[in-house]
PDB file of all heavy atoms in Angstrom:
ATOM      1  N   ALA A   4      -7.253  13.255 -17.584  1.00  0.00           N
ATOM      2  CA  ALA A   4      -6.465  14.451 -17.322  1.00  0.00           C
ATOM      3  C   ALA A   4      -6.362  15.331 -18.557  1.00  0.00           C
ATOM      4  O   ALA A   4      -6.248  16.555 -18.449  1.00  0.00           O
ATOM      5  CB  ALA A   4      -5.079  14.076 -16.818  1.00  0.00           C
ATOM      6  N   LYS A   5      -6.386  14.716 -19.730  1.00  0.00           N
ATOM      7  CA  LYS A   5      -6.304  15.453 -20.988  1.00  0.00           C
ATOM      8  C   LYS A   5      -7.659  15.641 -21.651  1.00  0.00           C
ATOM      9  O   LYS A   5      -7.730  16.241 -22.728  1.00  0.00           O
ATOM     10  CB  LYS A   5      -5.364  14.742 -21.957  1.00  0.00           C
ATOM     11  CG  LYS A   5      -3.920  14.684 -21.503  1.00  0.00           C
ATOM     12  CD  LYS A   5      -3.054  14.006 -22.552  1.00  0.00           C
ATOM     13  CE  LYS A   5      -1.601  13.999 -22.145  1.00  0.00           C
ATOM     14  NZ  LYS A   5      -0.746  13.345 -23.168  1.00  0.00           N
ATOM     15  N   ASN A   6      -8.714  15.123 -21.036  1.00  0.00           N
ATOM     16  CA  ASN A   6     -10.060  15.192 -21.608  1.00  0.00           C
ATOM     17  C   ASN A   6     -10.077  14.642 -23.031  1.00  0.00           C
ATOM     18  O   ASN A   6     -10.678  15.228 -23.937  1.00  0.00           O
ATOM     19  CB  ASN A   6     -10.580  16.629 -21.587  1.00  0.00           C
ATOM     20  CG  ASN A   6     -10.560  17.227 -20.208  1.00  0.00           C
ATOM     21  OD1 ASN A   6     -11.048  16.619 -19.258  1.00  0.00           O
ATOM     22  ND2 ASN A   6      -9.996  18.418 -20.080  1.00  0.00           N
ATOM     23  N   THR A   7      -9.430  13.511 -23.202  1.00  0.00           N
ATOM     24  CA  THR A   7      -9.213  12.944 -24.520  1.00  0.00           C
ATOM     25  C   THR A   7      -9.503  11.452 -24.521  1.00  0.00           C
ATOM     26  O   THR A   7      -9.174  10.759 -23.558  1.00  0.00           O
ATOM     27  CB  THR A   7      -7.765  13.190 -24.980  1.00  0.00           C
ATOM     28  OG1 THR A   7      -7.514  14.598 -25.027  1.00  0.00           O
ATOM     29  CG2 THR A   7      -7.517  12.594 -26.352  1.00  0.00           C
ATOM     30  N   ILE A   8     -10.114  10.978 -25.602  1.00  0.00           N
ATOM     31  CA  ILE A   8     -10.243   9.545 -25.826  1.00  0.00           C
ATOM     32  C   ILE A   8      -9.471   9.177 -27.080  1.00  0.00           C
ATOM     33  O   ILE A   8      -9.210  10.017 -27.937  1.00  0.00           O
ATOM     34  CB  ILE A   8     -11.709   9.076 -25.943  1.00  0.00           C
ATOM     35  CG1 ILE A   8     -12.391   9.685 -27.173  1.00  0.00           C
ATOM     36  CG2 ILE A   8     -12.472   9.387 -24.671  1.00  0.00           C
ATOM     37  CD1 ILE A   8     -13.713   9.016 -27.503  1.00  0.00           C
ATOM     38  N   TYR A   9      -9.134   7.892 -27.170  1.00  0.00           N
ATOM     39  CA  TYR A   9      -8.328   7.393 -28.269  1.00  0.00           C
ATOM     40  C   TYR A   9      -8.967   6.151 -28.858  1.00  0.00           C
ATOM     41  O   TYR A   9      -9.726   5.441 -28.205  1.00  0.00           O
ATOM     42  CB  TYR A   9      -6.917   7.048 -27.793  1.00  0.00           C
ATOM     43  CG  TYR A   9      -6.214   8.179 -27.088  1.00  0.00           C
ATOM     44  CD1 TYR A   9      -6.291   8.323 -25.705  1.00  0.00           C
ATOM     45  CD2 TYR A   9      -5.467   9.108 -27.802  1.00  0.00           C
ATOM     46  CE1 TYR A   9      -5.654   9.359 -25.054  1.00  0.00           C
ATOM     47  CE2 TYR A   9      -4.825  10.146 -27.161  1.00  0.00           C
ATOM     48  CZ  TYR A   9      -4.921  10.270 -25.788  1.00  0.00           C
ATOM     49  OH  TYR A   9      -4.281  11.306 -25.152  1.00  0.00           O
ATOM     50  N   LEU A  10      -8.638   5.892 -30.091  1.00  0.00           N
ATOM     51  CA  LEU A  10      -9.012   4.648 -30.739  1.00  0.00           C
ATOM     52  C   LEU A  10      -7.780   4.108 -31.453  1.00  0.00           C
ATOM     53  O   LEU A  10      -7.376   4.640 -32.489  1.00  0.00           O
ATOM     54  CB  LEU A  10     -10.160   4.845 -31.729  1.00  0.00           C
ATOM     55  CG  LEU A  10     -10.737   3.566 -32.330  1.00  0.00           C
ATOM     56  CD1 LEU A  10     -11.451   2.750 -31.251  1.00  0.00           C
ATOM     57  CD2 LEU A  10     -11.693   3.878 -33.469  1.00  0.00           C
ATOM     58  N   GLN A  11      -7.177   3.082 -30.866  1.00  0.00           N
ATOM     59  CA  GLN A  11      -6.051   2.405 -31.484  1.00  0.00           C
ATOM     60  C   GLN A  11      -6.592   1.357 -32.444  1.00  0.00           C
ATOM     61  O   GLN A  11      -7.313   0.453 -32.026  1.00  0.00           O
ATOM     62  CB  GLN A  11      -5.168   1.748 -30.423  1.00  0.00           C
ATOM     63  CG  GLN A  11      -3.985   0.976 -30.988  1.00  0.00           C
ATOM     64  CD  GLN A  11      -2.974   1.869 -31.654  1.00  0.00           C
ATOM     65  OE1 GLN A  11      -2.611   2.913 -31.114  1.00  0.00           O
ATOM     66  NE2 GLN A  11      -2.517   1.486 -32.836  1.00  0.00           N
ATOM     67  N   MET A  12      -6.245   1.464 -33.705  1.00  0.00           N
ATOM     68  CA  MET A  12      -6.760   0.591 -34.742  1.00  0.00           C
ATOM     69  C   MET A  12      -5.604  -0.205 -35.331  1.00  0.00           C
ATOM     70  O   MET A  12      -4.697   0.365 -35.936  1.00  0.00           O
ATOM     71  CB  MET A  12      -7.470   1.393 -35.831  1.00  0.00           C
ATOM     72  CG  MET A  12      -8.572   2.306 -35.306  1.00  0.00           C
ATOM     73  SD  MET A  12      -9.486   3.144 -36.628  1.00  0.00           S
ATOM     74  CE  MET A  12      -8.170   4.181 -37.292  1.00  0.00           C
ATOM     75  N   ASN A  13      -5.654  -1.511 -35.145  1.00  0.00           N
ATOM     76  CA  ASN A  13      -4.643  -2.417 -35.664  1.00  0.00           C
ATOM     77  C   ASN A  13      -5.257  -3.359 -36.681  1.00  0.00           C
ATOM     78  O   ASN A  13      -6.474  -3.526 -36.741  1.00  0.00           O
ATOM     79  CB  ASN A  13      -4.010  -3.223 -34.533  1.00  0.00           C
ATOM     80  CG  ASN A  13      -3.317  -2.369 -33.503  1.00  0.00           C
ATOM     81  OD1 ASN A  13      -2.712  -1.347 -33.830  1.00  0.00           O
ATOM     82  ND2 ASN A  13      -3.374  -2.798 -32.246  1.00  0.00           N
ATOM     83  N   SER A  14      -4.409  -3.997 -37.460  1.00  0.00           N
ATOM     84  CA  SER A  14      -4.851  -4.958 -38.476  1.00  0.00           C
ATOM     85  C   SER A  14      -5.970  -4.384 -39.329  1.00  0.00           C
ATOM     86  O   SER A  14      -7.003  -5.016 -39.558  1.00  0.00           O
ATOM     87  CB  SER A  14      -5.300  -6.259 -37.805  1.00  0.00           C
ATOM     88  OG  SER A  14      -4.259  -6.825 -37.039  1.00  0.00           O
ATOM     89  N   LEU A  15      -5.763  -3.187 -39.805  1.00  0.00           N
ATOM     90  CA  LEU A  15      -6.803  -2.487 -40.550  1.00  0.00           C
ATOM     91  C   LEU A  15      -7.133  -3.204 -41.855  1.00  0.00           C
ATOM     92  O   LEU A  15      -6.264  -3.769 -42.514  1.00  0.00           O
ATOM     93  CB  LEU A  15      -6.378  -1.055 -40.824  1.00  0.00           C
ATOM     94  CG  LEU A  15      -6.506  -0.120 -39.618  1.00  0.00           C
ATOM     95  CD1 LEU A  15      -5.691   1.147 -39.831  1.00  0.00           C
ATOM     96  CD2 LEU A  15      -7.972   0.221 -39.370  1.00  0.00           C
ATOM     97  N   LYS A  16      -8.412  -3.154 -42.202  1.00  0.00           N
ATOM     98  CA  LYS A  16      -8.939  -3.764 -43.406  1.00  0.00           C
ATOM     99  C   LYS A  16      -9.552  -2.690 -44.294  1.00  0.00           C
ATOM    100  O   LYS A  16      -9.962  -1.640 -43.807  1.00  0.00           O
ATOM    101  CB  LYS A  16     -10.014  -4.797 -43.054  1.00  0.00           C
ATOM    102  CG  LYS A  16      -9.571  -5.873 -42.083  1.00  0.00           C
ATOM    103  CD  LYS A  16     -10.750  -6.759 -41.694  1.00  0.00           C
ATOM    104  CE  LYS A  16     -10.336  -7.827 -40.700  1.00  0.00           C
ATOM    105  NZ  LYS A  16     -11.495  -8.675 -40.313  1.00  0.00           N
ATOM    106  N   PRO A  17      -9.651  -2.944 -45.598  1.00  0.00           N
ATOM    107  CA  PRO A  17     -10.292  -1.967 -46.477  1.00  0.00           C
ATOM    108  C   PRO A  17     -11.702  -1.590 -46.028  1.00  0.00           C
ATOM    109  O   PRO A  17     -12.106  -0.434 -46.209  1.00  0.00           O
ATOM    110  CB  PRO A  17     -10.309  -2.674 -47.838  1.00  0.00           C
ATOM    111  CG  PRO A  17      -9.117  -3.565 -47.790  1.00  0.00           C
ATOM    112  CD  PRO A  17      -9.053  -4.052 -46.372  1.00  0.00           C
ATOM    113  N   GLU A  18     -12.437  -2.519 -45.443  1.00  0.00           N
ATOM    114  CA  GLU A  18     -13.780  -2.222 -44.979  1.00  0.00           C
ATOM    115  C   GLU A  18     -13.813  -1.295 -43.770  1.00  0.00           C
ATOM    116  O   GLU A  18     -14.886  -0.846 -43.362  1.00  0.00           O
ATOM    117  CB  GLU A  18     -14.560  -3.513 -44.674  1.00  0.00           C
ATOM    118  CG  GLU A  18     -13.813  -4.487 -43.785  1.00  0.00           C
ATOM    119  CD  GLU A  18     -13.112  -5.585 -44.572  1.00  0.00           C
ATOM    120  OE1 GLU A  18     -12.451  -5.249 -45.575  1.00  0.00           O
ATOM    121  OE2 GLU A  18     -13.237  -6.763 -44.194  1.00  0.00           O
ATOM    122  N   ASP A  19     -12.665  -0.998 -43.177  1.00  0.00           N
ATOM    123  CA  ASP A  19     -12.586  -0.007 -42.116  1.00  0.00           C
ATOM    124  C   ASP A  19     -12.560   1.412 -42.662  1.00  0.00           C
ATOM    125  O   ASP A  19     -12.631   2.370 -41.882  1.00  0.00           O
ATOM    126  CB  ASP A  19     -11.347  -0.233 -41.251  1.00  0.00           C
ATOM    127  CG  ASP A  19     -11.383  -1.553 -40.501  1.00  0.00           C
ATOM    128  OD1 ASP A  19     -12.459  -1.920 -39.984  1.00  0.00           O
ATOM    129  OD2 ASP A  19     -10.324  -2.210 -40.424  1.00  0.00           O
ATOM    130  N   THR A  20     -12.437   1.562 -43.964  1.00  0.00           N
ATOM    131  CA  THR A  20     -12.400   2.881 -44.575  1.00  0.00           C
ATOM    132  C   THR A  20     -13.693   3.630 -44.292  1.00  0.00           C
ATOM    133  O   THR A  20     -14.780   3.146 -44.587  1.00  0.00           O
ATOM    134  CB  THR A  20     -12.176   2.769 -46.083  1.00  0.00           C
ATOM    135  OG1 THR A  20     -10.887   2.205 -46.336  1.00  0.00           O
ATOM    136  CG2 THR A  20     -12.259   4.131 -46.751  1.00  0.00           C
ATOM    137  N   ALA A  21     -13.572   4.812 -43.704  1.00  0.00           N
ATOM    138  CA  ALA A  21     -14.737   5.603 -43.319  1.00  0.00           C
ATOM    139  C   ALA A  21     -14.261   6.916 -42.722  1.00  0.00           C
ATOM    140  O   ALA A  21     -13.076   7.101 -42.445  1.00  0.00           O
ATOM    141  CB  ALA A  21     -15.598   4.851 -42.293  1.00  0.00           C
ATOM    142  N   VAL A  22     -15.205   7.819 -42.518  1.00  0.00           N
ATOM    143  CA  VAL A  22     -14.962   8.982 -41.677  1.00  0.00           C
ATOM    144  C   VAL A  22     -15.301   8.583 -40.248  1.00  0.00           C
ATOM    145  O   VAL A  22     -16.397   8.084 -39.983  1.00  0.00           O
ATOM    146  CB  VAL A  22     -15.798  10.194 -42.113  1.00  0.00           C
ATOM    147  CG1 VAL A  22     -15.557  11.370 -41.167  1.00  0.00           C
ATOM    148  CG2 VAL A  22     -15.458  10.588 -43.544  1.00  0.00           C
ATOM    149  N   TYR A  23     -14.370   8.797 -39.350  1.00  0.00           N
ATOM    150  CA  TYR A  23     -14.547   8.430 -37.955  1.00  0.00           C
ATOM    151  C   TYR A  23     -14.908   9.663 -37.142  1.00  0.00           C
ATOM    152  O   TYR A  23     -14.243  10.699 -37.238  1.00  0.00           O
ATOM    153  CB  TYR A  23     -13.285   7.769 -37.407  1.00  0.00           C
ATOM    154  CG  TYR A  23     -13.124   6.343 -37.865  1.00  0.00           C
ATOM    155  CD1 TYR A  23     -12.803   6.065 -39.190  1.00  0.00           C
ATOM    156  CD2 TYR A  23     -13.317   5.274 -36.990  1.00  0.00           C
ATOM    157  CE1 TYR A  23     -12.676   4.755 -39.633  1.00  0.00           C
ATOM    158  CE2 TYR A  23     -13.186   3.967 -37.423  1.00  0.00           C
ATOM    159  CZ  TYR A  23     -12.871   3.713 -38.747  1.00  0.00           C
ATOM    160  OH  TYR A  23     -12.747   2.409 -39.172  1.00  0.00           O
ATOM    161  N   TYR A  24     -15.963   9.533 -36.337  1.00  0.00           N
ATOM    162  CA  TYR A  24     -16.494  10.645 -35.557  1.00  0.00           C
ATOM    163  C   TYR A  24     -16.449  10.337 -34.066  1.00  0.00           C
ATOM    164  O   TYR A  24     -16.783   9.231 -33.641  1.00  0.00           O
ATOM    165  CB  TYR A  24     -17.950  10.927 -35.923  1.00  0.00           C
ATOM    166  CG  TYR A  24     -18.175  11.376 -37.343  1.00  0.00           C
ATOM    167  CD1 TYR A  24     -18.474  10.460 -38.338  1.00  0.00           C
ATOM    168  CD2 TYR A  24     -18.109  12.722 -37.683  1.00  0.00           C
ATOM    169  CE1 TYR A  24     -18.697  10.867 -39.641  1.00  0.00           C
ATOM    170  CE2 TYR A  24     -18.336  13.135 -38.982  1.00  0.00           C
ATOM    171  CZ  TYR A  24     -18.628  12.208 -39.953  1.00  0.00           C
ATOM    172  OH  TYR A  24     -18.859  12.617 -41.248  1.00  0.00           O
ATOM    173  N   CYS A  25     -16.087  11.316 -33.293  1.00  0.00           N
ATOM    174  CA  CYS A  25     -16.209  11.271 -31.847  1.00  0.00           C
ATOM    175  C   CYS A  25     -17.589  11.789 -31.454  1.00  0.00           C
ATOM    176  O   CYS A  25     -18.101  12.735 -32.067  1.00  0.00           O
ATOM    177  CB  CYS A  25     -15.110  12.128 -31.222  1.00  0.00           C
ATOM    178  SG  CYS A  25     -15.006  12.061 -29.432  1.00  0.00           S
ATOM    179  N   ASN A  26     -18.198  11.169 -30.449  1.00  0.00           N
ATOM    180  CA  ASN A  26     -19.562  11.508 -30.065  1.00  0.00           C
ATOM    181  C   ASN A  26     -19.725  11.520 -28.554  1.00  0.00           C
ATOM    182  O   ASN A  26     -19.235  10.632 -27.857  1.00  0.00           O
ATOM    183  CB  ASN A  26     -20.541  10.501 -30.685  1.00  0.00           C
ATOM    184  CG  ASN A  26     -21.931  10.574 -30.088  1.00  0.00           C
ATOM    185  OD1 ASN A  26     -22.379   9.652 -29.409  1.00  0.00           O
ATOM    186  ND2 ASN A  26     -22.631  11.673 -30.354  1.00  0.00           N
ATOM    187  N   VAL A  27     -20.422  12.525 -28.058  1.00  0.00           N
ATOM    188  CA  VAL A  27     -20.882  12.584 -26.675  1.00  0.00           C
ATOM    189  C   VAL A  27     -22.400  12.558 -26.714  1.00  0.00           C
ATOM    190  O   VAL A  27     -23.022  13.529 -27.148  1.00  0.00           O
ATOM    191  CB  VAL A  27     -20.377  13.840 -25.951  1.00  0.00           C
ATOM    192  CG1 VAL A  27     -21.025  13.959 -24.571  1.00  0.00           C
ATOM    193  CG2 VAL A  27     -18.863  13.810 -25.812  1.00  0.00           C
TER     194      VAL A  27
END
């Protein structure tokens, strides 16, 4: 309905550090 996706990120680690991109 909102034309939106989400990414819930828990228990984050230093190796998760990055630029996050949405892609179609």
Side-chain angles (χ1 to χ4, degrees):
K5 295 182 177 180
N6 304 310
T7 300
I8 64 167
Y9 306 92
L10 187 68
Q11 178 67 45
M12 305 185 294
N13 299 324
S14 302
L15 283 163
K16 305 174 181 179
E18 50 262 46
D19 296 319
T20 295
V22 178
Y23 284 71
Y24 296 93
C25 186
N26 167 248
V27 173

